Amino acid sequence: MGGDEDIPADKKRMFPGRCRAEDRYDNGRTRFHSDFSGGNVGTSTIQPRRRAAQNAIIMTKEEVYKQIVRYLNVEGYLLDPNMEANINDLFFSIISPIIDDFKRRTGRNKISLLREKQIVSEDNHYGGYREFVVVDKILVTETTYILIIEAKQASLGAAMGQCLLAMKDSWDSNHEGILYGFVTTGESWRMLRYNGASFLITDKMDAVFDTMGRRKERWMESYSHLVDCIYAALCDGGIAKKDAVVG
């Protein structure tokens, strides 16, 4: 499970560093760090604020851990070969506490998670339905896409093509800024970023393992990176660089 041999070779550009969620909010405002460099934050970021951000992200990770374990206790581990609906339920368990925390901490209360959202291209051609789409309602008549999620049981590569096309159409609708995507098999994940000209793709991340209910410390240390990436995407997604706060 989780193979990605079908990913196009020309899209295999990796982010040079890790997603660091604590770098991406500052008293409710977005902080922009280009290309997820993972470097030091700007001199305007003071250490007490960084520690508060780190503690907040740890609390969110703990809530996500509990949600995943609760899901696995009820549904069982990811063994059903016809389980894409189960993968979607698992993803909802992961992302819902992250969005809830993000909205409370940043005040961006018009962000919402849509299920089975149809993406319409700029030329009004209707694309397929995406399992999950996160949007920001700017005005009654204007919606900005933030991130797209595509789940496929077979492999990450199987989800990649559909996600790339949906991201392209969604960015065309936004007209500017950065758009994010996630592809997943349930266990394994990749994060994508599109700026209107090129795609970047992370290394594969694992977020679930069969004994995680008894191994919280291991999950927090080695498997919670997905939480940072989703949080960073919520901060940066749909926002043009000129609108972001540069650290």
Side-chain angles (χ1 to χ4, degrees):
M1 180 185 296
D4 54 4
E5 63 280 354
D6 298 326
I7 294 175
D10 63 340
K11 299 298 188 296
K12 288 189 176 181
R13 297 178 58 199
M14 309 302 176
F15 291 124
R18 296 173 63 84
C19 309
R20 300 201 318 186
E22 66 267 22
D23 289 349
R24 287 180 158 72
Y25 71 89
D26 175 10
N27 291 336
R29 300 183 69 192
T30 298
R31 302 188 63 83
F32 183 89
H33 296 269
S34 63
D35 289 338
F36 292 68
S37 63
N40 294 328
V41 296
T43 56
S44 62
T45 302
I46 60 176
Q47 289 305 312
R49 185 179 296 153
R50 166 67 72 84
R51 285 195 294 271
Q54 290 174 335
N55 291 337
I57 295 303
I58 288 172
M59 292 175 62
T60 302
K61 288 182 176 182
E62 289 179 340
E63 182 61 30
V64 170
Y65 171 82
K66 288 189 287 188
Q67 287 274 85
I68 297 175
V69 170
R70 185 178 296 118
Y71 169 86
L72 295 178
N73 285 340
V74 174
E75 295 281 346
Y77 195 65
L78 307 172
L79 299 176
D80 187 344
N82 301 306
M83 65 179 187
E84 284 185 15
N86 293 1
I87 295 174
N88 292 342
D89 291 341
L90 173 60
F91 181 80
F92 183 81
S93 297
I94 292 171
I95 199 171
S96 55
I98 301 173
I99 292 178
D100 179 61
D101 177 77
F102 178 82
K103 292 171 70 171
R104 286 189 293 106
R105 294 186 184 281
T106 65
R108 293 177 62 186
N109 294 319
K110 293 185 178 181
I111 285 179
S112 60
L113 177 68
L114 307 179
R115 303 187 72 160
E116 291 297 319
K117 169 68 175 176
Q118 190 174 37
I119 306 297
V120 181
S121 64
E122 188 74 358
D123 58 5
N124 290 322
H125 289 168
Y126 287 89
Y129 286 87
R130 305 279 69 82
E131 278 85 359
F132 292 97
V133 178
V134 177
V135 300
D136 194 355
K137 199 74 172 178
I138 307 301
L139 300 170
V140 174
T141 58
E142 182 180 348
T143 296
T144 298
Y145 293 99
I146 297 176
L147 64 90
I148 311 292
I149 301 95
E150 187 70 35
K152 290 293 180 187
Q153 186 273 335
S155 71
L156 294 176
M160 186 69 68
Q162 292 179 344
C163 191
L164 291 172
L165 289 173
M167 290 175 67
K168 172 65 168 58
D169 287 342
S170 299
W171 191 94
D172 288 345
S173 177
N174 288 354
H175 299 296
E176 62 179 353
I178 304 295
L179 190 75
Y180 290 89
F182 289 86
V183 293
T184 179
T185 64
E187 286 180 320
S188 299
W189 301 71
R190 281 185 184 266
M191 179 182 181
L192 302 85
R193 185 176 115 166
Y194 182 58
N195 63 3
S198 61
F199 288 94
L200 295 175
I201 304 174
T202 63
D203 293 317
K204 185 174 70 174
M205 299 173 278
D206 290 326
V208 181
F209 60 95
D210 57 354
T211 61
M212 62 178 288
R214 305 189 300 274
R215 306 287 299 278
K216 178 180 178 180
E217 185 175 341
R218 179 188 175 194
W219 187 87
M220 292 289 290
E221 175 67 24
S222 303
Y223 289 78
S224 65
H225 182 39
L226 177 66
V227 178
D228 295 286
C229 287
I230 294 174
Y231 208 106
L234 290 173
C235 283
D236 289 349
I239 298 176
K241 187 172 182 179
K242 62 181 174 60
D243 297 326
V245 179
V246 179

